[in-house]
Amino acid sequence: SFYLSVYLSIHPSIHLSIYLLSIHPSIHPSILCTCIQVGPADIAAMIHLIRSTTPDKEISSGLKKGIKALVSTVNASTAGSAVDQHKSQAVFERVHFSNRHVSDACVVLVSTRAPVGAIKHLDLSNTDNITGEALIALCEEHGESVESLVLTITPKINLNDILQSVSLCYAEGFGNLQKLQLDDIKDLQDKMLSKMATKLCKQLTSLSLRYALNIKDQGIIDIAKTHTKLLHLDVSGCEKLTDKSIIYVAHACVELKA
């Protein structure tokens, strides 16, 4: 995409790191860290992704095509064997970085290597260095296939970034979003939630808004009006809610379990 091209051109160290990894898949993270300006968490994650998603026959041949071949992985995978495609799909089905120090470099790599429709579960709630721009770019590429989305405010991801990313998961009426978790977002307000309610996928079955301290009754009522098939709704810590919205939800969402 345009964003990814610009991002890579601004960050030549990412070019170099992916290029070195493509030529030497067995390279140790410490070696790359001494050569380029990419953090060890990024390098470790890159190595894991490249080793996990590169067919064995390509690794053995050296992968000497460099960055161009890596960026065109999605197209190349289409011509590969069914086994290779299945392997790549499985690796990217759940995207969650357990190391909170990874940055946009890994998001770029995920976005370029993940086959279309592969990412089903996206969780960036445990990151400190990934920016809102990278999150939005990832959702632009893969949002329509995401079934479960977990986001929260981080040092580099703000409320507007989150709202835009959520909207990309149901853009133009498409999308498969079934589970949405937006916990600890204290600035989320009724008008934002009400606007989201009119556009969220009708198949949404799980919504968590824990400790959204500024949410009031109307926002929750609007969600219940448009999403009567909700099975799970978590509003723990939403101190401004009253019995009015709770009773409305109980009557509107008859299949609600918790």
Side-chain angles (χ1 to χ4, degrees):
S1 70
F2 173 77
Y3 170 83
L4 291 174
S5 299
V6 171
Y7 187 87
L8 285 171
S9 66
I10 294 174
H11 295 75
S13 61
I14 297 176
H15 270 295
L16 179 58
S17 62
I18 299 179
Y19 177 74
L20 289 174
L21 286 169
S22 69
I23 297 176
H24 303 290
S26 60
I27 196 168
H28 193 274
S30 61
I31 298 175
L32 286 177
C33 289
T34 60
C35 301
I36 55 179
Q37 300 298 314
V38 178
D42 290 324
I43 297 301
M46 285 179 174
I47 287 177
H48 172 73
L49 285 171
I50 289 179
R51 287 175 178 170
S52 299
T53 60
T54 302
D56 293 338
K57 59 183 179 181
E58 292 186 18
I59 292 178
S60 61
S61 65
L63 281 177
K64 296 180 179 179
K65 295 180 180 179
I67 186 67
K68 184 177 180 180
L70 290 177
V71 173
S72 62
T73 297
V74 173
N75 293 332
S77 66
T78 303
S81 68
V83 173
D84 292 338
Q85 292 182 44
H86 178 73
K87 178 181 178 182
S88 189
Q89 288 272 354
V91 168
F92 288 106
E93 183 173 344
R94 293 181 178 274
V95 175
H96 170 67
F97 297 112
S98 57
N99 188 330
R100 65 188 313 110
H101 300 296
V102 299
S103 69
D104 290 2
C106 286
V107 177
V108 170
L109 187 59
V110 167
S111 190
T112 55
R113 290 188 72 87
V116 174
I119 300 177
K120 303 296 184 184
H121 309 279
L122 177 60
D123 182 350
L124 297 186
S125 62
N126 188 51
T127 62
D128 287 339
N129 291 324
I130 292 176
T131 66
E133 289 83 358
L135 168 63
I136 291 169
L138 181 62
C139 289
E140 284 179 341
E141 294 286 333
H142 301 281
E144 291 184 5
S145 67
V146 173
E147 298 175 1
S148 172
L149 182 63
V150 182
L151 299 173
T152 193
I153 300 294
T154 72
K156 296 185 179 181
I157 296 177
N158 60 38
L159 178 56
N160 288 332
D161 297 329
I162 290 174
L163 294 177
Q164 187 173 347
S165 298
V166 172
S167 70
L168 289 168
C169 293
Y170 55 73
E172 299 179 1
F174 297 97
N176 297 297
L177 196 61
Q178 299 172 23
K179 177 182 177 181
L180 179 60
Q181 184 174 328
L182 303 176
D183 293 342
D184 298 302
I185 302 181
K186 298 175 176 59
D187 292 331
L188 188 63
Q189 299 177 2
D190 277 3
K191 60 181 180 180
M192 302 172 187
L193 195 58
S194 298
K195 182 178 179 180
M196 191 186 301
T198 62
K199 297 181 180 180
L200 279 172
C201 302
K202 298 302 180 183
Q203 63 262 41
L204 188 75
T205 58
S206 178
L207 177 64
S208 179
L209 300 169
R210 298 175 72 245
Y211 296 98
L213 301 181
N214 284 305
I215 290 295
K216 300 179 181 178
D217 288 333
Q218 192 57 51
I220 297 300
I221 288 173
D222 287 342
I223 286 288
K225 282 180 180 179
T226 54
H227 295 81
T228 57
K229 295 183 179 181
L230 275 176
L231 300 177
H232 304 282
L233 177 64
D234 191 345
V235 289
S236 305
C238 297
E239 300 173 347
K240 295 185 179 181
L241 295 182
T242 70
D243 291 345
K244 178 182 178 181
S245 58
I246 303 303
I247 292 173
Y248 188 94
V249 169
H251 284 89
C253 305
V254 295
E255 299 180 45
L256 200 66
K257 297 179 180 179

